[in-house]
Amino acid sequence: MPDDPERVATDISLRGFEVASVEHGRPAVIDFEITANRPDCLSHLGLAREASAIWRLPLRLPDVAIPAAGAAPPLEVDVEDRELCPRYCAQMFEVSVQPSPEWLRTRLEAAGVRPINNVVDVTNYVLLELGQPMHAFDYAKLTGRRIIVRRARPGERLRTLDGFDRQLDPDMLVIADGERPTAIGGVMGGQDSEIDRSTTVIVLESATFQAVSVRRTSKRLGLKTEASIRFERGADIAAPLVGIARAAALLAQIGAGRPLGEVIDRYSAPQRPRAIVLRGARIARVLGQDVPAGEVPGLLEPLGFQVQATAAGDAAWAVTVPSFRVDVAREIDLIEEVGRHYGFDRLPVTFPALSAAQPPPDPAIARERLVRQVLTAAGFSEAMTFAFIERQAALPFCDLGETPAAIANPLSEKFAVLRPSLLPGLVDACAHNRRRARKDIRLFETGSRFTSAGETRSAAFAWCGAAADPHWSSAPRTVDFFDVKGAVEQFCAAFGISAGFATADRPWLMAGRAAAVTAQPGGEVMHLGVFGQLLQAIAEARGFPRGEEMYVAEIDLDVVARLAADDALRVESLPRFPSIVRDIAIVIDEVLPAAAVRGTIRSAAPETLVSIAEFDRYKGKGVPEGRVSLALRLTFRATDRTLTDEDAEVATDGIVKALAAAHAAERR
């Protein structure tokens, strides 16, 4: 192997192992991040196999010769739950508990493990070297001279080695003596059977525990250990015996103890090794590179695989998977191993030949990109919230008679249901920012929502605080209903949609400050969304300050997709003739929507009317109670001639008469 630790780290990292750090000391230490599918490499032996394959060096296995054993005192081992513990091995030792020798303490400290005593240090050394967790019980502290592997009984508790009393559930596996639990299977031992300076006989445990059981127990107890990390990723069924043999050799080497009696091995259902057929043609197909048939066995055998050529004419091999490779179950897994050690850097980087035209991009991608551009230009910042939300946060945004869709196995009550709207997440985000002294907040989000109608895409935004950035030229003003309406109009205009507005009644919006967004393509009314002021009770329930207003809007992007103008460019020549402007002021009912006024004007005006703009609204002296004065600016222009004052007056008079007839309007 190279002498340079950096070179060693680089070469191993090219085989799929992330290097966390390289410590240049005596000795040098390389820290690797091991992925969850490679529990065999949570050991020095596992990484040594990788190094053997990389540098084509023979693998030297540690000494596993068990010294001669003395007579053993009585011990009964009974595995009641063979599903959660498919193999359990135990070996008794006569020991003398002392500090470990210097070389052993140095190696453990280099690996980040605190030395305790020679017996415990040997079990930790085997854990690091072979990846096999082990635990030592003080034989004298085992009631009834028994070890029983069983599920915990209701109400049982155990004080673990870290000093905490833990409540055990009936689905947790424990290692018990004749009376009580003494360890949590695959997680941690108990203080009642802990090794101390007075210990003279130990029972050394080496077992295989079911991964799902260990993971569930570790998570429920909030207790993650070096043992649980290995067991929950999948353990080597053959490792328990090897672990005991290695521990026996180490105890003899440092003069800490000798075995007593034979190894007790409870292994009722031996597992047969997996055999997989590996085809050379499939390797070439997957990797895009022909790997010489003569190199394939040399790539796999150093990793522990047994490779034998088949009788088939084409290159093919029968590969026996070693028990420690729990991640290899299919031919594709073997091809990955071939690719890793053949060298991904040797694979071709050419693109495959195209046999068909590239499909057009999904229109939804361009549509949502435009949404982001429009709302970002309007001063909003994009937020990304969870689709799984709290039930209490979702309920106010459900339609009458509906409940949010529940998650079958939620991670917590905070993620119990699917969101019926994007607004709950945005409301919580605004409250979160407001609690951190952010007063002026504008957030938007695009994403999926889930109702009884199924999954739909929408865009939503929330606005609170100032209507615009502060400037010395004008006094600050808080956002109001019409600011939000303008943002919605800008949104619709970007898609070429002529939006209409009508009063809306939504349980989460304040009455009188809520509007529905509609469009009428071909006379059919289509609902695009809603906007308005969020009920203060809902905002306060999510942590928003009392008395402050928040405005929200949500637009259905699926409806927008049906209404949006196509990408065809339309060009109109610039006006050749001047326009004529006429201002009129009319007195109308206070509750009459401005949209109704504009609609009447459009229907009564000639084709020369090109724009309508409201520029003043007055209520007070000179205007009757319940009515307002609305000032409008009408712009007229013809495409074929210059309009005269008479043309403008005739058109204006006709508009005023139509307003008087339709809305009892009076001209001022």
Side-chain angles (χ1 to χ4, degrees):
M1 290 177 58
D3 294 331
D4 181 13
E6 295 285 351
R7 169 72 185 283
V8 172
T10 299
D11 289 350
I12 296 180
S13 70
L14 291 175
R15 272 69 183 180
F17 298 94
E18 180 185 352
V19 178
S21 64
V22 179
E23 301 175 15
H24 296 275
R26 289 185 176 272
V29 177
I30 306 173
D31 187 8
F32 292 97
E33 295 286 349
I34 306 300
T35 54
N37 67 316
R38 291 300 304 273
D40 61 299
C41 286
L42 288 170
S43 67
H44 295 115
L45 179 58
L47 287 173
R49 289 193 192 96
E50 295 289 332
S52 171
I54 294 170
W55 290 291
R56 302 292 195 270
L57 297 174
L59 180 65
R60 291 186 297 174
L61 296 174
D63 179 17
V64 291
I66 300 180
L75 177 68
E76 181 182 348
V77 176
D78 183 20
V79 179
E80 293 184 357
D81 198 315
R82 301 183 186 278
E83 178 187 1
L84 302 187
C85 180
R87 189 171 195 178
Y88 190 92
C89 298
Q91 170 73 64
M92 300 181 68
F93 289 87
E94 183 181 28
V95 297
S96 174
V97 179
Q98 301 291 336
S100 297
E102 180 66 25
W103 68 266
L104 182 54
R105 294 200 304 271
T106 301
R107 292 189 182 182
L108 290 176
E109 289 170 348
V113 177
R114 178 176 62 89
I116 298 176
N117 58 55
N118 50 6
V119 174
V120 176
D121 291 350
V122 163
T123 62
N124 287 332
Y125 190 90
V126 173
L127 169 74
L128 296 172
E129 185 181 51
L130 303 183
Q132 174 60 30
M134 307 182 75
H135 182 67
F137 300 96
D138 188 330
Y139 175 75
K141 298 176 183 178
L142 295 177
T143 303
R145 305 299 185 256
R146 297 183 65 193
I147 288 180
I148 306 171
V149 184
R150 59 172 174 81
R151 294 178 188 254
R153 298 188 178 110
E156 284 189 321
R157 303 181 66 87
L158 174 67
R159 172 165 290 188
T160 47
L161 290 172
D162 57 1
F164 289 93
D165 285 321
R166 302 187 183 275
Q167 179 69 46
L168 305 177
D169 295 338
D171 60 348
M172 295 180 180
L173 189 73
V174 298
I175 315 301
D177 60 15
E179 291 183 353
R180 66 197 188 284
T182 59
I184 302 172
V187 181
M188 184 176 281
Q191 281 190 351
D192 291 343
S193 58
E194 184 180 8
I195 304 298
D196 56 34
R197 295 295 295 270
S198 65
T199 301
T200 57
V201 178
I202 66 168
V203 178
L204 191 59
E205 168 196 279
S206 184
T208 299
F209 300 106
Q210 186 195 65
V212 174
S213 172
V214 174
R215 186 182 305 115
R216 182 174 57 239
T217 300
S218 173
K219 182 177 179 180
R220 192 170 299 169
L221 295 176
L223 182 60
K224 185 172 285 293
T225 63
E226 291 291 337
S228 69
I229 288 171
R230 286 160 174 81
F231 281 127
E232 69 186 16
R233 284 162 171 76
D236 178 7
I237 196 69
L241 275 181
V242 179
I244 282 183
R246 179 56 177 157
L250 285 171
L251 289 172
Q253 179 182 344
I254 65 176
R258 66 186 183 111
L260 300 176
E262 298 295 327
V263 177
I264 301 172
D265 185 7
R266 298 292 183 260
Y267 188 25
S268 60
Q271 299 179 7
R272 299 180 60 184
R274 292 187 298 275
I276 303 173
V277 174
L278 177 62
R279 298 164 292 170
R282 184 61 178 165
I283 295 175
R285 173 68 176 169
V286 173
L287 298 182
Q289 171 76 38
D290 286 321
V291 178
E295 294 188 27
V296 173
L299 296 172
L300 294 177
E301 287 172 346
L303 299 175
F305 297 94
Q306 297 178 15
V307 183
Q308 184 176 359
T310 64
D314 296 333
W317 302 268
V319 181
T320 302
V321 181
S323 58
F324 54 80
R325 289 305 300 269
V326 295
D327 61 309
V328 177
R330 302 174 298 164
E331 183 184 24
I332 193 67
D333 300 324
L334 291 173
I335 294 174
E336 180 185 359
E337 297 301 299
V338 171
R340 284 196 312 114
H341 284 278
Y342 180 72
F344 289 128
D345 56 318
R346 299 171 63 183
L347 301 182
V349 294
T350 55
F351 285 100
L354 293 177
S355 58
Q358 182 178 356
D362 186 350
I365 297 175
R367 188 163 54 248
E368 295 194 13
R369 184 183 299 120
L370 179 57
V371 170
R372 293 184 178 93
Q373 291 174 349
V374 172
L375 292 178
T376 302
F380 291 85
S381 298
E382 184 172 11
M384 298 183 69
T385 64
F386 290 109
F388 298 170
I389 63 174
E390 188 178 353
R391 181 178 177 83
Q392 292 304 315
L395 284 174
F397 297 91
C398 293
D399 291 333
L400 293 177
E402 289 194 2
T403 56
I407 305 298
N409 298 299
L411 294 175
S412 72
E413 288 303 316
K414 293 287 186 182
F415 308 99
V417 299
L418 291 169
R419 62 186 179 191
S421 164
L422 301 188
L423 294 177
L426 290 177
V427 171
D428 284 354
C430 287
H432 178 87
N433 280 271
R434 190 66 189 87
R435 290 194 298 269
R436 285 155 180 80
R438 294 284 298 179
K439 187 174 182 180
D440 303 328
I441 305 165
R442 278 186 263 185
L443 297 176
F444 81 92
E445 182 177 9
T446 62
S448 297
R449 56 185 179 176
F450 307 87
T451 64
S452 58
E455 178 181 352
T456 57
R457 299 287 293 180
S458 71
F461 63 81
W463 192 345
C464 53
D469 294 334
H471 194 267
W472 61 267
S473 63
S474 60
R477 180 177 63 82
T478 57
V479 62
D480 59 24
F481 177 87
F482 298 101
D483 294 315
V484 181
K485 178 174 177 286
V488 172
E489 288 176 326
Q490 188 176 6
F491 180 99
C492 294
F495 289 95
I497 299 173
S498 178
F501 303 95
T503 57
D505 181 16
R506 294 292 186 276
W508 63 88
L509 295 178
M510 184 174 292
R513 295 188 181 181
V517 187
T518 62
Q520 293 183 328
E524 177 189 1
V525 178
M526 299 185 70
H527 180 80
L528 277 81
V530 294
F531 69 92
Q533 183 183 345
L534 185 70
L535 280 178
Q536 290 193 351
I538 296 176
E540 292 171 11
R542 305 310 300 171
F544 198 72
R546 180 186 298 272
E548 295 189 15
E549 297 179 356
M550 182 190 303
Y551 287 87
V552 297
E554 187 163 23
I555 306 296
D556 190 329
L557 291 181
D558 294 336
V559 177
V560 169
R562 297 196 295 269
L563 295 176
D566 56 35
D567 295 333
L569 295 177
R570 293 173 176 81
V571 180
E572 293 183 1
S573 61
L574 294 174
R576 294 179 57 196
F577 301 98
S579 59
I580 294 181
V581 176
R582 289 291 183 268
D583 293 343
I584 62 172
I586 56 174
V587 177
I588 57 175
D589 288 341
E590 183 179 7
V591 297
L592 182 65
V597 175
R598 285 195 297 271
T600 301
I601 293 174
R602 288 287 183 191
S603 62
E607 293 183 357
T608 54
L609 179 67
V610 293
S611 73
I612 307 169
E614 300 89 350
F615 65 89
D616 188 35
R617 184 178 185 271
Y618 172 73
K619 178 181 178 182
K621 186 178 179 180
V623 177
E625 186 71 23
R627 293 171 72 81
V628 295
S629 174
L630 182 66
L632 302 105
R633 179 159 295 157
L634 309 178
T635 303
F636 301 91
R637 183 190 300 116
T639 59
D640 57 349
R641 62 189 178 90
T642 299
L643 295 177
T644 64
D645 288 341
E646 183 180 356
D647 295 328
E649 290 301 330
V650 170
T652 303
D653 290 343
I655 290 172
V656 171
K657 291 178 181 178
L659 291 172
H663 308 298
E666 300 175 5
R667 188 172 184 177
R668 295 185 69 191

